[in-house]
Amino acid sequence: MIIDVHTHINNYHEERVVSLEDCLNRLTGTMQDNHVDYALVLSSYKVNEHRPSTKQVVEAISGRDNLGVVAGISYLHYNHRDLREIGEYLESGLIKGLKFYPGYEPFYPNDIRLKIVYDMAIEYDVPVMFHSGDTYAPTGKIKFSHPIHIDDLAVDYPDLKIVICHVGNPWIKDCMEVVYKNKNVHADISGLVLGDFSDKFERYMKKEIEEMITYAGDPKYLLYGTDWPISNMRSYLNFMGQLDLPHEKKELILWKNASELFKIDTSKF
């Protein structure tokens, strides 16, 4: 079984507007081609014709049992209406988690302005995901997205379930320490490449992930994700196949950790 905890249906590459239905069909078709059983779709911190809102994504995936939604929240622009909507979705179980984008937006994860949102996540027992590491856009400010800042948040909110996206790449060793030290912190391996892994980079990243597991121990904290469509699903699965890990540890990463953390009912697929 495979659960991809990090996909998008934003239109990153085409100038023309692509319908939400077409984007979802492309996602599920790619999942089927690669034997991926379930995927979480992360909405963006901004909404425009190329980036659908959380509401649009929630409505669009209705009836698709192999997809779930993680709600993107803008630090700069959220308001009381957004909080009310997120609260309603959490109450009804229509979203599986929340996503924040430090680096793309100028804030540190432990900013007091986000306390109300973290309290909601704790109340409804859903994870909060953070962009971490390099930014896809050169306008991002990476001082805000360094994984070391997650430590403050993890200590201040010990009941908050946290996911460091992209294993904080290129600061993987810092991410390693944060997940090792804090039992409420996870990390996903998404977005390590644009497109396909090259042989050279695959060898490099294989060593980095294996060292992380050696240091931080049994990978109950590590989640499989791709960042599709930025990263290629088939290339990612090939990369997973290269990791020098026993089958039971790969299963933790590929689906078991995600199923437990995001409360995904695997009996439905």
Side-chain angles (χ1 to χ4, degrees):
M1 188 172 290
I2 301 169
I3 295 176
D4 188 333
V5 303
H6 198 129
T7 71
H8 299 277
I9 49 175
N10 301 332
N11 176 27
Y12 292 109
H13 306 298
E14 299 183 44
E15 292 185 4
R16 68 184 182 86
V17 177
V18 181
S19 77
L20 191 48
E21 192 69 15
D22 285 347
C23 290
L24 284 170
N25 288 338
R26 184 169 162 240
L27 169 58
T28 55
T30 307
M31 289 168 60
Q32 186 173 10
D33 290 344
N34 292 281
H35 309 291
V36 175
D37 299 278
Y38 186 94
L40 291 172
V41 178
L42 281 53
S43 62
S44 181
Y45 63 100
K46 59 184 177 182
V47 177
N48 56 40
E49 60 183 356
H50 296 290
R51 294 173 182 249
S53 68
T54 297
K55 183 175 187 291
Q56 289 173 303
V57 179
V58 166
E59 291 173 352
I61 73 157
S62 178
R64 296 180 186 247
D65 289 340
N66 62 340
L67 296 177
V69 180
V70 172
I73 297 177
S74 170
Y75 169 81
L76 291 175
H77 302 298
Y78 83 78
N79 56 40
H80 67 93
R81 294 182 188 87
D82 298 321
L83 294 180
R84 187 183 308 121
E85 180 180 83
I86 292 296
E88 289 171 356
Y89 287 149
L90 288 169
E91 180 77 33
S92 57
L94 291 174
I95 57 176
K96 294 287 189 183
L98 309 175
K99 171 75 185 291
F100 301 90
Y101 292 83
Y104 291 101
E105 293 189 310
F107 70 96
Y108 292 110
N110 67 332
D111 193 299
I112 192 65
R113 186 168 186 262
L114 294 174
K115 182 181 186 301
I116 186 172
V117 189
Y118 299 153
D119 288 342
M120 289 169 66
I122 292 169
E123 179 181 352
Y124 290 101
D125 195 29
V126 299
V128 292
M129 305 177 74
F130 290 89
H131 172 81
S132 186
D134 186 30
T135 55
Y136 183 64
T139 53
K141 297 180 178 180
I142 58 175
K143 71 177 182 180
F144 296 106
S145 57
H146 196 295
I148 201 72
H149 301 303
I150 296 295
D151 182 61
D152 283 5
L153 184 67
V155 172
D156 293 344
Y157 295 85
D159 296 323
L160 185 66
K161 296 176 177 177
I162 300 168
V163 179
I164 301 175
C165 298
H166 323 305
V167 287
N169 185 42
W171 299 294
I172 295 176
K173 284 186 170 55
D174 298 275
C175 175
M176 186 191 306
E177 168 59 17
V178 176
V179 299
Y180 170 74
K181 174 180 174 287
N182 299 288
K183 301 309 178 188
N184 57 328
V185 180
H186 295 69
D188 78 29
I189 62 169
S190 68
L192 300 178
V193 292
L194 302 180
D196 296 334
F197 282 91
S198 66
D199 290 342
K200 185 176 182 180
F201 188 72
E202 185 175 73
R203 288 193 300 272
Y204 166 77
M205 197 53 67
K206 172 182 182 294
K207 181 173 177 289
E208 291 285 309
I209 298 300
E210 288 171 354
E211 284 184 355
M212 180 176 187
I213 294 169
T214 299
Y215 179 86
D218 200 35
K220 288 286 290 182
Y221 53 85
L222 203 55
L223 306 163
Y224 177 75
T226 59
D227 215 8
W228 184 92
I230 293 172
S231 302
N232 180 285
M233 281 193 188
R234 188 174 303 279
S235 185
Y236 246 86
L237 286 169
N238 289 338
F239 169 69
M240 278 298 300
Q242 298 302 314
L243 292 178
D244 185 17
L245 295 172
H247 176 72
E248 60 271 17
K249 291 192 177 182
K250 284 187 180 180
E251 285 225 310
L252 287 175
I253 299 168
L254 282 170
W255 71 274
K256 287 186 175 179
N257 294 340
S259 175
E260 181 179 346
L261 182 65
F262 289 96
K263 299 177 184 170
I264 297 166
D265 183 358
T266 56
S267 68
K268 290 185 176 180
F269 48 88

